[in-house]
Structures are given as C-alpha cells and as structure tokens.
Amino acid sequence: MSTPGHGNGANGSPAERGLRLAPFRGLRYVPERVGSLASVTSPPYDVVVRPDGLRHLETADPHNIVRLILPQAATAADRHRQAAETLRRWQEERILAADPEPALYVYEQSGDGILQRGLIGALHLTPREEGVVLPHEDVMPHIIEDRAALMRDTGANLEPLLFSYRGGDDEEGAAAVIERVIRTEPLLSTATDDGYAHRLWSITDPDDLALIDHDLGRRHALIADGHHRWATYLRLRAEQPAPGPWDFGLVLLVDTARYPLRVRAIHRLLHRLPVQDALAALGGAFRVRTLEGPLPNALEALAEAASGPGNAFLLAGDGRFHLLDRPDPLLLDRTVPADRPQAWRELDATVLHSVLLENIWRVPDDPEHIGYIHETAAAVKQAERHGGTAVLMHPVREDVVRELAEQGVTMPRKSTSFGPKPATGLVLRSLALN
C-alpha cells in the first residue's frame, strides 16, 4: 500500500489527524472483453432490492458486477464462494485487469441537473472516537455479517463507499488537482440507463498526490452512503494482522462545499401490516387525511406538511394515500427517548421508529417485517401488490445530519439516502494487489 506524504505520527502532523487517502492499483473491466462498460455496472448492492432489478442487471451482460456484489446461490456460504470464484476467473480471463501502478482516481458523475466530482482511493480506517470519519446512522448486524463474509472470501472491496467532506479555499489542494486532471483524457467514459454520464481519470504524479494528501489530512468526512460497509471494514481490520491492506477501505470522497450531494428519504415497507390495520391502530395519535393521489400530488402534500412544525408521513398500499401529521405532543413526550439532543428527538425517522413502529404498531425492526426501499413508486407498488403498508418519508436536511454526526449522535438506521451514489463496477480494489 502506497501512502505518500504520511509521517510516523510522532509530530502530530495534520495528515495523521485527518483523512489519509492512499493510491491503489485499481481493478477495472477491460472494455474489449465486455459488451459495454455501462452494461457491467450496477447501483450499490443495497439499492438493487427488487428481484426484477437484479434479473435485469444479470441479463444486461454475463459479466455484470451484480454477480460479485449480489451472487445468487442456495446458501450464504455458497453465494460468497461463488463470488470469489467468479472474481478469480474474471481476472484469469482478463475480463478484469489491474492498472499498472497505484493511483487515486477522479470520478465524475453528471445528469439530472447534478454535476459531482470526487476522489476514489483507499482510505485509512480510523475508530469512531478519533472523529476523522463521522457515521450518522445505526447499522444492522446481519448485514455486516453478510458483507464481511463476502469481503473475506473475495479479498476485495467491490464498490466504493460515498463520503462527504468540506474542503477549503486552498488553491493547491485536492480541488485544484481535480480541476487540472479533468482537462485531460479520461481512462473511461460511459453513460448508464439512469441517465447519468460517468468519467474516470487516474492521478499518479507524486506532486499531485502529495498536495491531495496534505489537504485531506486537515479534513474529516461524513459517511453519506455505506455505513454497513464501513462497519464491515472496521470489523475485518480487527481480524487481520496489522499493518496491512485491511487497514484501508475503498471510498469516494466528495467535497460538498463544491459539489453538494442530493439527500433523499429511504421509505419503509411494512410487509405484514395492512393499511387498514395501521390506520385503525392510530386512534388520535396523529391527524389523518386521505388523499386520492396521484403519487406526485400526495408527495407534494407530504412536503408541505413536513415544512411545518411536527412530523409527517404518507401511508400507501390500499390504492389511496393517507397523510399523517400533527402527532400528539404528550405521546411524543412519553415514547421518544429523552436522552438525545432535541434535533434527534424531532427527526421523522426517530418518531416513526419510537412512536409508530415500537409503540403503536408493534412491528419488529427485522427484515421479515420491514423492508427499506429507496424508490417511492417501488415502495407503493410493493405495498399494493402484497397487502402491506408503505411509509413514505420526507428527506432530512444535510446540515441536520452533519450537526448530529459531529455531536457523536447517530440517527435511526436508513434515515437518509445521499446521492448520486457511485456506480459499482467502474473500479474495484483487490487486497491481493494492494
């Protein structure tokens, strides 16, 4: 692992106190060996939630990256072994090939009114108490177990996590290097079915790497997307002898002072709770108004309700939409934990889990009872198809997320969806190479 510019820490240099993003030999698809780069990419593993979405990606190209991040087999152990064998075979067949020297990668996404640029590299893992990497959501142990087993068997970081940081005005820092690099010929350029264009460049010049290293060494990062994979990185590092390649994990760092992320909600699908039962159990806990739709109009009503005081949710699954707002203040006082900051106590996700799921509906927070779905229309469709209830959420502002994270306070799991998320499959990190 090449880590230019890092001292031994004895002098407390800025690089030791902040982010350490190391170059690595990226493992990338060989364009001539696949149908197209777009056809082998995928959204992150936890966004590919519907079976039809998985099938679409599997059939887009026989070498689509979902065969590594979401392998299909009878048991978890078989899935992970299959992914490892597939990764080994693709390297032998030169479907995937390693870049000749360690690099950081500039990654650009554009589309849907968004331009985002950041740096992909191997980030040095730090414990939460050091405050270098700030999580903002709780995690679920069973997901960490699955991702850890997959990473152990494949010996690879298969997709970059999305981290945000606030850069400064340093004219010779990471931002300046990125602006210079994007004026050169990219390693790859492709467009995916979601309407986004993707470009990737490599940075190998020692002076550029040193400038980036010095700049990032003064920053800390917020986990925008990838809490479970970050927790997996930390778990696997604790299992391995140090120092070594497991001390680092693949991330995309985006300076949100220059390229703000879009924040969206993650919706809940209550598999075993029909809408009529959910409404009947409410009593007077919330004001309830029924809307006939269509979905965009219902979402506008949710946004309007969420802009006022209190919490608001939209229930769907019976062909109509039911807007819940103005929760009973006495109920909130009785059911929402009082040992957290007020900003946490007022979060929609906090109220949903503490008041509705735990106290009113008595729905256990496990995969058998609750699904987490990013796309609004998909959540409604699944609820209507299977007789459950979709709870549609309004997104949290990024400044609220960052404020709580800096206080060391985590939000309820799956509270936010930052994006655009990096496409999976453009660059992988094999620990055997780094």
Side-chain angles (χ1 to χ4, degrees):
M1 172 67 62
S2 174
T3 54
H6 293 303
N8 59 18
N11 60 2
S13 65
E16 291 298 320
R17 294 196 302 269
L19 299 167
R20 296 174 53 193
L21 192 67
F24 69 103
R25 289 182 64 197
L27 193 62
R28 298 190 294 112
Y29 281 99
V30 177
E32 296 79 14
R33 301 283 288 148
V34 297
S36 71
L37 289 175
S39 68
V40 294
T41 64
S42 162
Y45 81 99
D46 58 340
V47 180
V48 188
V49 291
R50 295 173 297 170
D52 55 337
L54 180 60
R55 284 193 295 270
H56 170 74
L57 291 167
E58 285 182 324
T59 57
D61 189 285
H63 302 108
N64 189 281
I65 194 70
V66 293
R67 297 181 185 277
L68 299 182
I69 63 172
L70 289 172
Q72 300 300 295
T75 68
D78 288 343
R79 289 194 297 271
H80 304 142
R81 282 194 294 269
Q82 178 176 301
E85 170 59 24
T86 300
L87 179 59
R88 182 195 60 77
R89 187 175 69 253
W90 286 358
Q91 290 180 81
E92 288 180 352
E93 297 173 354
R94 300 258 328 150
I95 304 300
L96 292 166
D99 284 335
E101 59 183 316
L104 295 180
Y105 297 86
V106 175
Y107 176 48
E108 177 189 274
Q109 292 167 277
S110 58
D112 195 21
I114 286 182
L115 174 64
Q116 178 174 289
R117 294 183 181 123
L119 292 166
I120 294 177
L123 186 66
H124 185 255
L125 307 182
T126 53
R128 178 173 176 174
E129 55 268 21
E130 289 188 12
V132 177
V133 173
L134 305 173
H136 70 267
E137 287 185 356
D138 293 330
V139 294
M140 293 176 270
H142 74 280
I143 296 180
I144 297 172
E145 290 280 352
D146 178 74
R147 293 293 101 181
L150 179 64
M151 287 189 204
R152 276 193 216 100
D153 282 10
T154 58
N157 301 152
L158 299 172
E159 45 188 341
L161 286 56
L162 176 61
F163 282 21
S164 72
Y165 73 100
R166 296 283 181 161
D169 298 325
D170 189 344
E171 305 247 341
E172 286 302 322
V177 175
I178 290 172
E179 293 305 312
R180 284 200 302 271
V181 168
I182 62 169
R183 293 195 288 268
T184 65
E185 187 71 18
L187 290 174
L188 64 86
S189 179
T190 190
T192 45
D193 289 345
D194 57 6
Y196 280 90
H198 309 262
R199 295 198 293 172
L200 193 75
W201 296 260
S202 66
I203 303 173
T204 58
D205 180 84
D207 291 336
D208 285 342
L209 294 174
L211 288 171
I212 292 170
D213 183 59
H214 178 73
D215 186 3
L216 295 182
R218 297 172 289 165
R219 317 292 178 198
H220 64 260
L222 176 74
I223 302 177
D225 185 67
H227 283 82
H228 289 91
R229 285 166 288 170
W230 180 254
T232 301
Y233 287 170
L234 294 173
R235 173 171 175 170
L236 292 173
R237 184 189 65 170
E239 298 174 0
Q240 303 294 329
W246 294 94
D247 293 345
F248 298 79
L250 187 64
V251 305
L252 165 65
L253 281 174
V254 175
D255 179 358
T256 52
R258 293 174 180 268
Y259 301 104
L261 297 176
R262 178 177 289 171
V263 188
R264 289 178 168 157
I266 301 177
H267 311 293
R268 274 59 171 167
L269 177 60
L270 311 183
H271 301 298
R272 299 186 176 184
L273 182 68
V275 173
Q276 61 182 13
D277 293 349
L279 294 171
L282 289 174
F286 286 77
R287 182 176 70 166
V288 180
R289 288 174 285 166
T290 298
L291 313 172
E292 296 299 329
L295 177 59
N297 292 353
L299 291 174
E300 285 183 15
L302 174 62
E304 183 178 346
S307 66
N311 307 96
F313 309 95
L314 198 63
L315 306 189
D318 62 351
R320 298 181 297 173
F321 301 94
H322 309 275
L323 182 62
L324 277 56
D325 66 354
R326 299 186 184 180
D328 178 357
L330 294 178
L331 176 63
L332 296 181
D333 288 342
R334 190 171 70 250
T335 56
V336 176
D339 60 346
R340 302 285 184 94
Q342 188 65 23
W344 181 90
R345 300 185 76 243
E346 294 175 351
L347 291 169
D348 286 344
T350 298
V351 172
L352 172 62
H353 283 262
S354 297
V355 180
L356 287 168
L357 295 177
E358 294 179 17
N359 283 276
I360 294 179
W361 293 332
R362 307 285 183 178
V363 175
D365 192 358
D366 60 49
E368 191 174 325
H369 293 84
I370 303 179
Y372 293 85
I373 298 183
H374 292 73
E375 295 297 327
T376 308
V380 174
K381 182 178 179 180
Q382 292 276 25
E384 291 179 346
R385 179 181 295 172
H386 300 292
T389 296
V391 183
L392 307 183
M393 311 275 286
H394 191 71
V396 184
R397 299 194 319 274
E398 183 182 355
D399 59 330
V400 173
V401 176
R402 188 174 293 274
E403 175 190 341
L404 288 171
E406 289 174 347
Q407 296 177 55
V409 177
T410 55
M411 301 166 65
R413 60 180 66 109
K414 298 293 183 182
S415 293
T416 60
S417 176
F418 284 88
K421 305 179 191 303
T424 298
L426 295 181
V427 60
L428 290 63
R429 174 176 176 257
S430 168
L431 278 76
L433 298 169
N434 296 277

